[in-house]
mmCIF file of all heavy atoms in Angstrom:
data_model
loop_
_atom_site.group_PDB
_atom_site.id
_atom_site.type_symbol
_atom_site.label_atom_id
_atom_site.label_comp_id
_atom_site.label_asym_id
_atom_site.label_seq_id
_atom_site.Cartn_x
_atom_site.Cartn_y
_atom_site.Cartn_z
ATOM 1 N N ASP A 280 0.831 -1.185 -0.031
ATOM 2 C CA ASP A 280 -0.113 -0.035 0.004
ATOM 3 C C ASP A 280 0.942 1.226 -0.026
ATOM 4 O O ASP A 280 0.566 2.230 -0.808
ATOM 5 C CB ASP A 280 -0.948 0.065 1.239
ATOM 6 C CG ASP A 280 -1.898 -1.098 1.241
ATOM 7 O OD1 ASP A 280 -2.789 -1.130 0.280
ATOM 8 O OD2 ASP A 280 -1.857 -2.076 2.042
ATOM 9 N N GLY A 281 1.990 1.217 0.783
ATOM 10 C CA GLY A 281 2.811 2.345 0.884
ATOM 11 C C GLY A 281 3.533 2.668 -0.402
ATOM 12 O O GLY A 281 3.642 3.763 -0.934
ATOM 13 N N ALA A 282 4.048 1.508 -1.134
ATOM 14 C CA ALA A 282 4.766 1.665 -2.431
ATOM 15 C C ALA A 282 3.757 2.147 -3.462
ATOM 16 O O ALA A 282 4.196 3.012 -4.308
ATOM 17 C CB ALA A 282 5.203 0.275 -2.763
ATOM 18 N N ASN A 283 2.571 1.778 -3.496
ATOM 19 C CA ASN A 283 1.520 2.208 -4.456
ATOM 20 C C ASN A 283 1.218 3.717 -4.090
ATOM 21 O O ASN A 283 0.895 4.435 -5.134
ATOM 22 C CB ASN A 283 0.112 1.395 -4.293
ATOM 23 C CG ASN A 283 -0.722 1.552 -5.465
ATOM 24 O OD1 ASN A 283 -0.309 1.837 -6.617
ATOM 25 N ND2 ASN A 283 -1.922 1.496 -5.189
ATOM 26 N N PHE A 284 1.154 4.157 -2.875
ATOM 27 C CA PHE A 284 0.905 5.404 -2.584
ATOM 28 C C PHE A 284 1.930 6.376 -3.162
ATOM 29 O O PHE A 284 1.674 7.408 -3.835
ATOM 30 C CB PHE A 284 0.935 5.738 -1.027
ATOM 31 C CG PHE A 284 0.811 7.179 -0.588
ATOM 32 C CD1 PHE A 284 -0.434 7.808 -0.553
ATOM 33 C CD2 PHE A 284 1.954 7.876 -0.196
ATOM 34 C CE1 PHE A 284 -0.488 9.080 -0.168
ATOM 35 C CE2 PHE A 284 1.940 9.131 0.284
ATOM 36 C CZ PHE A 284 0.737 9.759 0.250
ATOM 37 N N PHE A 285 3.184 6.112 -3.049
ATOM 38 C CA PHE A 285 4.318 6.885 -3.549
ATOM 39 C C PHE A 285 4.350 6.710 -5.099
ATOM 40 O O PHE A 285 4.682 7.794 -5.749
ATOM 41 C CB PHE A 285 5.735 6.386 -2.952
ATOM 42 C CG PHE A 285 5.836 6.940 -1.597
ATOM 43 C CD1 PHE A 285 5.916 6.007 -0.499
ATOM 44 C CD2 PHE A 285 6.049 8.189 -1.317
ATOM 45 C CE1 PHE A 285 6.004 6.473 0.818
ATOM 46 C CE2 PHE A 285 6.267 8.719 0.014
ATOM 47 C CZ PHE A 285 6.299 7.773 1.062
ATOM 48 N N ASN A 286 4.025 5.589 -5.556
ATOM 49 C CA ASN A 286 3.944 5.405 -7.016
ATOM 50 C C ASN A 286 2.962 6.236 -7.693
ATOM 51 O O ASN A 286 3.187 6.862 -8.817
ATOM 52 C CB ASN A 286 3.660 3.847 -7.418
ATOM 53 C CG ASN A 286 3.838 3.681 -8.886
ATOM 54 O OD1 ASN A 286 4.918 3.587 -9.457
ATOM 55 N ND2 ASN A 286 2.736 3.380 -9.533
ATOM 56 N N LYS A 287 1.809 6.467 -7.120
ATOM 57 C CA LYS A 287 0.780 7.188 -7.622
ATOM 58 C C LYS A 287 1.092 8.686 -7.605
ATOM 59 O O LYS A 287 0.724 9.449 -8.683
ATOM 60 C CB LYS A 287 -0.502 7.117 -6.807
ATOM 61 C CG LYS A 287 -1.318 5.873 -7.045
ATOM 62 C CD LYS A 287 -2.638 5.744 -6.421
ATOM 63 C CE LYS A 287 -2.576 5.603 -4.945
ATOM 64 N NZ LYS A 287 -3.914 5.358 -4.325
ATOM 65 N N HIS A 288 2.012 9.041 -6.622
ATOM 66 C CA HIS A 288 2.440 10.627 -6.637
ATOM 67 C C HIS A 288 3.670 10.751 -7.561
ATOM 68 O O HIS A 288 3.786 11.945 -8.037
ATOM 69 C CB HIS A 288 2.675 10.998 -5.222
ATOM 70 C CG HIS A 288 1.405 11.131 -4.282
ATOM 71 N ND1 HIS A 288 0.746 10.048 -3.923
ATOM 72 C CD2 HIS A 288 0.836 12.341 -4.033
ATOM 73 C CE1 HIS A 288 -0.251 10.641 -3.256
ATOM 74 N NE2 HIS A 288 -0.228 11.908 -3.228
ATOM 75 N N ILE A 289 4.432 9.743 -7.667
ATOM 76 C CA ILE A 289 5.686 10.045 -8.451
ATOM 77 C C ILE A 289 5.480 9.513 -9.906
ATOM 78 O O ILE A 289 5.899 10.313 -10.844
ATOM 79 C CB ILE A 289 6.976 9.235 -7.787
ATOM 80 C CG1 ILE A 289 7.153 9.817 -6.388
ATOM 81 C CG2 ILE A 289 8.124 9.374 -8.634
ATOM 82 C CD1 ILE A 289 8.186 8.997 -5.580
ATOM 83 N N ALA A 290 5.039 8.302 -10.138
ATOM 84 C CA ALA A 290 4.912 7.862 -11.472
ATOM 85 C C ALA A 290 3.534 8.142 -12.085
ATOM 86 O O ALA A 290 3.326 7.903 -13.233
ATOM 87 C CB ALA A 290 5.101 6.375 -11.473
ATOM 88 N N LYS A 291 2.620 8.632 -11.191
ATOM 89 C CA LYS A 291 1.369 9.088 -11.624
ATOM 90 C C LYS A 291 0.508 7.930 -12.119
ATOM 91 O O LYS A 291 -0.406 8.222 -13.041
ATOM 92 C CB LYS A 291 1.431 10.191 -12.775
ATOM 93 C CG LYS A 291 2.283 11.337 -12.479
ATOM 94 C CD LYS A 291 1.703 12.045 -11.155
ATOM 95 C CE LYS A 291 2.583 13.334 -10.872
ATOM 96 N NZ LYS A 291 2.108 13.995 -9.534
ATOM 97 N N TYR A 292 0.530 6.726 -11.623
ATOM 98 C CA TYR A 292 -0.393 5.600 -11.905
ATOM 99 C C TYR A 292 -0.479 4.707 -10.801
ATOM 100 O O TYR A 292 0.316 4.649 -9.887
ATOM 101 C CB TYR A 292 0.074 4.844 -13.219
ATOM 102 C CG TYR A 292 1.104 3.907 -12.951
ATOM 103 C CD1 TYR A 292 0.961 2.624 -12.688
ATOM 104 C CD2 TYR A 292 2.464 4.282 -13.239
ATOM 105 C CE1 TYR A 292 2.096 1.755 -12.463
ATOM 106 C CE2 TYR A 292 3.549 3.537 -13.061
ATOM 107 C CZ TYR A 292 3.243 2.135 -12.693
ATOM 108 O OH TYR A 292 4.317 1.274 -12.562
ATOM 109 N N ASP A 293 -1.693 4.075 -10.821
ATOM 110 C CA ASP A 293 -2.067 3.148 -9.649
ATOM 111 C C ASP A 293 -1.728 1.697 -10.046
ATOM 112 O O ASP A 293 -2.211 1.219 -11.043
ATOM 113 C CB ASP A 293 -3.552 3.328 -9.369
ATOM 114 C CG ASP A 293 -3.952 2.640 -8.017
ATOM 115 O OD1 ASP A 293 -3.487 1.690 -7.827
ATOM 116 O OD2 ASP A 293 -5.027 3.113 -7.368
ATOM 117 N N PHE A 294 -1.169 0.989 -9.177
ATOM 118 C CA PHE A 294 -0.790 -0.468 -9.406
ATOM 119 C C PHE A 294 -2.008 -1.298 -9.787
ATOM 120 O O PHE A 294 -2.048 -2.142 -10.710
ATOM 121 C CB PHE A 294 -0.122 -1.131 -8.145
ATOM 122 C CG PHE A 294 1.355 -0.630 -7.945
ATOM 123 C CD1 PHE A 294 1.974 -0.726 -6.750
ATOM 124 C CD2 PHE A 294 2.137 -0.133 -9.050
ATOM 125 C CE1 PHE A 294 3.170 -0.300 -6.438
ATOM 126 C CE2 PHE A 294 3.421 0.286 -8.741
ATOM 127 C CZ PHE A 294 3.955 0.124 -7.517
ATOM 128 N N LYS A 295 -3.069 -0.924 -9.105
ATOM 129 C CA LYS A 295 -4.346 -1.708 -9.248
ATOM 130 C C LYS A 295 -5.110 -1.324 -10.515
ATOM 131 O O LYS A 295 -5.797 -2.180 -11.094
ATOM 132 C CB LYS A 295 -5.231 -1.386 -8.108
ATOM 133 C CG LYS A 295 -4.851 -1.946 -6.673
ATOM 134 C CD LYS A 295 -5.867 -1.642 -5.713
ATOM 135 C CE LYS A 295 -5.247 -2.214 -4.289
ATOM 136 N NZ LYS A 295 -6.281 -1.952 -3.219
ATOM 137 N N LYS A 296 -4.852 -0.067 -11.100
ATOM 138 C CA LYS A 296 -5.653 0.282 -12.269
ATOM 139 C C LYS A 296 -4.930 -0.091 -13.510
ATOM 140 O O LYS A 296 -5.518 -0.040 -14.587
ATOM 141 C CB LYS A 296 -5.882 1.778 -12.097
ATOM 142 C CG LYS A 296 -6.872 2.248 -11.049
ATOM 143 C CD LYS A 296 -7.091 3.717 -11.135
ATOM 144 C CE LYS A 296 -8.078 4.005 -10.023
ATOM 145 N NZ LYS A 296 -8.376 5.420 -9.852
ATOM 146 N N VAL A 297 -3.697 -0.554 -13.514
ATOM 147 C CA VAL A 297 -3.053 -1.108 -14.718
ATOM 148 C C VAL A 297 -3.440 -2.513 -14.794
ATOM 149 O O VAL A 297 -2.710 -3.341 -14.233
ATOM 150 C CB VAL A 297 -1.412 -0.954 -14.621
ATOM 151 C CG1 VAL A 297 -0.878 -1.383 -15.879
ATOM 152 C CG2 VAL A 297 -1.144 0.596 -14.397
ATOM 153 N N ASP A 298 -4.524 -2.806 -15.460
ATOM 154 C CA ASP A 298 -5.200 -4.060 -15.394
ATOM 155 C C ASP A 298 -5.149 -4.743 -16.771
ATOM 156 O O ASP A 298 -5.966 -4.458 -17.603
ATOM 157 C CB ASP A 298 -6.654 -3.946 -14.767
ATOM 158 C CG ASP A 298 -7.337 -5.194 -14.451
ATOM 159 O OD1 ASP A 298 -6.836 -6.228 -15.000
ATOM 160 O OD2 ASP A 298 -8.342 -5.131 -13.877
ATOM 161 N N ALA A 299 -4.312 -5.690 -16.920
ATOM 162 C CA ALA A 299 -4.199 -6.329 -18.250
ATOM 163 C C ALA A 299 -5.422 -7.219 -18.489
ATOM 164 O O ALA A 299 -5.850 -7.369 -19.654
ATOM 165 C CB ALA A 299 -2.907 -7.189 -18.390
ATOM 166 N N VAL A 300 -5.972 -7.792 -17.490
ATOM 167 C CA VAL A 300 -7.195 -8.668 -17.612
ATOM 168 C C VAL A 300 -8.318 -7.726 -18.230
ATOM 169 O O VAL A 300 -9.055 -8.223 -19.242
ATOM 170 C CB VAL A 300 -7.667 -9.237 -16.265
ATOM 171 C CG1 VAL A 300 -8.867 -10.032 -16.491
ATOM 172 C CG2 VAL A 300 -6.500 -10.179 -15.750
ATOM 173 N N GLU A 301 -8.476 -6.582 -17.674
ATOM 174 C CA GLU A 301 -9.548 -5.679 -18.077
ATOM 175 C C GLU A 301 -9.223 -5.250 -19.639
ATOM 176 O O GLU A 301 -10.207 -5.203 -20.446
ATOM 177 C CB GLU A 301 -9.767 -4.498 -17.329
ATOM 178 C CG GLU A 301 -10.575 -3.359 -17.757
ATOM 179 C CD GLU A 301 -12.079 -3.827 -17.802
ATOM 180 O OE1 GLU A 301 -12.433 -4.788 -17.160
ATOM 181 O OE2 GLU A 301 -12.825 -3.082 -18.586
ATOM 182 N N SER A 302 -8.088 -5.083 -19.871
ATOM 183 C CA SER A 302 -7.690 -4.669 -21.174
ATOM 184 C C SER A 302 -7.880 -5.633 -22.269
ATOM 185 O O SER A 302 -8.487 -5.330 -23.320
ATOM 186 C CB SER A 302 -6.052 -4.207 -21.281
ATOM 187 O OG SER A 302 -5.822 -3.673 -22.473
ATOM 188 N N VAL A 303 -7.462 -6.941 -22.051
ATOM 189 C CA VAL A 303 -7.692 -7.955 -23.060
ATOM 190 C C VAL A 303 -9.079 -8.317 -23.194
ATOM 191 O O VAL A 303 -9.556 -9.012 -24.201
ATOM 192 C CB VAL A 303 -6.772 -9.137 -22.783
ATOM 193 C CG1 VAL A 303 -5.307 -8.872 -22.730
ATOM 194 C CG2 VAL A 303 -7.202 -9.922 -21.487
ATOM 195 N N SER A 304 -9.980 -7.957 -22.221
ATOM 196 C CA SER A 304 -11.415 -8.234 -22.409
ATOM 197 C C SER A 304 -11.852 -7.326 -23.384
ATOM 198 O O SER A 304 -13.067 -7.529 -23.873
ATOM 199 C CB SER A 304 -12.137 -7.991 -21.012
ATOM 200 O OG SER A 304 -12.116 -6.615 -20.742
ATOM 201 N N HIS A 305 -11.212 -6.254 -23.874
ATOM 202 C CA HIS A 305 -11.648 -5.437 -24.910
ATOM 203 C C HIS A 305 -10.759 -5.562 -26.147
ATOM 204 O O HIS A 305 -10.691 -4.642 -26.887
ATOM 205 C CB HIS A 305 -11.658 -4.025 -24.408
ATOM 206 C CG HIS A 305 -12.466 -3.724 -23.256
ATOM 207 N ND1 HIS A 305 -13.932 -3.708 -23.358
ATOM 208 C CD2 HIS A 305 -12.194 -3.419 -21.910
ATOM 209 C CE1 HIS A 305 -14.291 -3.517 -22.173
ATOM 210 N NE2 HIS A 305 -13.375 -3.386 -21.306
ATOM 211 N N ALA A 306 -9.905 -6.636 -26.251
ATOM 212 C CA ALA A 306 -8.905 -6.760 -27.325
ATOM 213 C C ALA A 306 -9.609 -6.699 -28.691
ATOM 214 O O ALA A 306 -10.715 -7.177 -28.831
ATOM 215 C CB ALA A 306 -8.218 -8.132 -27.171
ATOM 216 N N GLN A 307 -8.893 -5.985 -29.573
ATOM 217 C CA GLN A 307 -9.486 -5.755 -30.899
ATOM 218 C C GLN A 307 -8.838 -6.652 -31.987
ATOM 219 O O GLN A 307 -9.307 -6.550 -33.286
ATOM 220 C CB GLN A 307 -9.349 -4.311 -31.261
ATOM 221 C CG GLN A 307 -9.989 -3.429 -30.307
ATOM 222 C CD GLN A 307 -9.627 -1.875 -30.582
ATOM 223 O OE1 GLN A 307 -9.869 -1.336 -31.616
ATOM 224 N NE2 GLN A 307 -9.065 -1.266 -29.619
ATOM 225 N N VAL A 308 -7.806 -7.429 -31.707
ATOM 226 C CA VAL A 308 -7.061 -8.178 -32.657
ATOM 227 C C VAL A 308 -6.932 -9.610 -31.949
ATOM 228 O O VAL A 308 -6.921 -9.785 -30.802
ATOM 229 C CB VAL A 308 -5.724 -7.601 -33.039
ATOM 230 C CG1 VAL A 308 -5.962 -6.268 -33.815
ATOM 231 C CG2 VAL A 308 -4.852 -7.420 -31.873
ATOM 232 N N PRO A 309 -6.663 -10.616 -32.777
ATOM 233 C CA PRO A 309 -6.412 -12.105 -32.275
ATOM 234 C C PRO A 309 -5.198 -11.938 -31.521
ATOM 235 O O PRO A 309 -4.241 -11.185 -31.614
ATOM 236 C CB PRO A 309 -6.192 -12.877 -33.610
ATOM 237 C CG PRO A 309 -6.930 -12.164 -34.695
ATOM 238 C CD PRO A 309 -6.741 -10.634 -34.318
ATOM 239 N N MET A 310 -5.221 -12.821 -30.479
ATOM 240 C CA MET A 310 -3.990 -12.890 -29.541
ATOM 241 C C MET A 310 -3.529 -14.363 -29.338
ATOM 242 O O MET A 310 -4.389 -15.299 -29.243
ATOM 243 C CB MET A 310 -4.419 -12.371 -28.160
ATOM 244 C CG MET A 310 -4.862 -10.832 -28.260
ATOM 245 S SD MET A 310 -5.050 -10.052 -26.685
ATOM 246 C CE MET A 310 -3.443 -10.077 -26.105
#
């Protein structure tokens, strides 16, 4: 949780929201 807190402020993204499962559920090409 602490690492994610600093990551959101420094790298500007949330570990939980970079979700490859959600992304491939909208895939537009064969995989």
